[in-house]
Amino acid sequence: MNIDLARARENMVEQQIRPWDVVDGRVLDTLASLPREAFVAPALRSLAYADIALPIGHGETMMKPVLEGRLLQALLPGAEESVLEIGTGSGYLTACLARLAREVISLERHADLADAARVRLSAQGIANATVHAADVFAGTPDRRFDVICVTGAVAELPSQFVEWLNPGGRLFLVRGHSPAMEAVVVHREVNGSRVESLFETDLPYLAGAEPVPAFTL
């Protein structure tokens, strides 16, 4: 069965993402022009624009398009801003962030996923994104960022993530306990941090950020 992927991409934007209050022109243009099918396994390309999370290996998934759209609009990296992405995954969201920002540094704990993402980003001509095979909890960046995007859920907000933000920076993450999690943007301000609640969702946990098992007798 042949699928018109360009039409599917247009339908994704107009029927899934825009109705979920994603209205920023830069975000919509990015999603409308970047071939999502280039970031999924060949066997799944017919599902690249479906309203579902797609498996990418190691029990990891690619976010639903609507979640990616809301995330990008909530962070809205500027053309002169730097981004730290925690969890590269397929590389699709990395590419979207790179289209919006000056540079993206992305961390992926699985070396094979990091390698595949580099190849996909290169194939799309994305030159301002760098993917490192690294566990975010095993080290500390040697710099701060304007924007941080966490692509896996956390039970609690790791305080060091906020410390990696420049003043005035913002961080997107999903926190809480499945199945009722909360997507938030954390703003680093002069007198501390401010948390902006966005919407409820459910997302697989970032490795190392799962809930601590409750002790029972």
Side-chain angles (χ1 to χ4, degrees):
M1 179 177 62
N2 293 324
I3 294 178
D4 185 340
L5 292 171
R7 176 60 63 84
R9 188 181 317 127
E10 179 182 348
N11 290 342
M12 176 193 74
V13 172
E14 297 300 326
Q15 298 176 14
Q16 298 177 46
I17 294 172
R18 193 188 290 272
W20 211 30
D21 297 327
V22 178
V23 296
D24 181 82
R26 293 176 65 227
V27 171
L28 292 173
D29 287 347
T30 295
L31 295 170
S33 61
L34 193 63
R36 201 169 191 265
E37 70 274 11
F39 292 86
V40 303
L44 297 175
R45 284 183 179 171
S46 63
L47 300 174
Y49 298 100
D51 186 24
I52 57 175
L54 295 175
I56 59 174
H58 299 284
E60 310 285 354
T61 60
M62 190 176 183
M63 291 181 187
K64 291 182 178 182
V66 290
L67 182 53
E68 292 165 333
R70 285 294 295 271
L71 178 162
L72 292 168
Q73 180 167 271
L75 287 174
L76 206 58
E80 297 304 317
E81 290 189 306
S82 59
V83 179
L84 172 65
E85 181 187 36
I86 299 174
T88 312
S90 71
Y92 174 72
L93 192 55
T94 317
C96 291
L97 291 165
R99 287 277 186 92
L100 298 168
R102 174 173 57 85
E103 65 166 337
V104 178
I105 305 298
S106 188
L107 307 181
E108 172 54 56
R109 64 190 296 264
H110 299 291
D112 59 330
L113 293 184
D115 289 341
R118 289 190 198 101
V119 171
R120 291 163 176 163
L121 290 165
S122 177
Q124 295 303 315
I126 305 292
N128 61 330
T130 304
V131 178
H132 298 278
D135 183 342
V136 70
F137 294 112
T140 300
D142 58 3
R143 54 176 290 194
R144 292 182 176 179
F145 298 85
D146 302 307
V147 172
I148 297 177
C149 174
V150 185
T151 64
V154 299
E156 304 289 342
L157 170 61
S159 60
Q160 67 266 37
F161 287 8
V162 180
E163 295 169 1
W164 299 341
L165 282 173
N166 284 322
R170 53 220 180 270
L171 178 157
F172 174 92
L173 56 74
V174 174
R175 67 180 184 181
H177 293 257
S178 183
M181 296 178 174
E182 177 189 30
V184 302
V185 171
V186 182
H187 300 264
R188 183 167 190 179
E189 300 179 340
V190 174
N191 297 318
S193 59
R194 173 175 60 88
V195 178
E196 175 189 0
S197 179
L198 299 177
F199 52 88
E200 288 190 358
T201 188
D202 192 16
L203 201 64
Y205 285 105
L206 189 70
E210 304 89 343
V212 176
F215 176 76
T216 56
L217 295 175

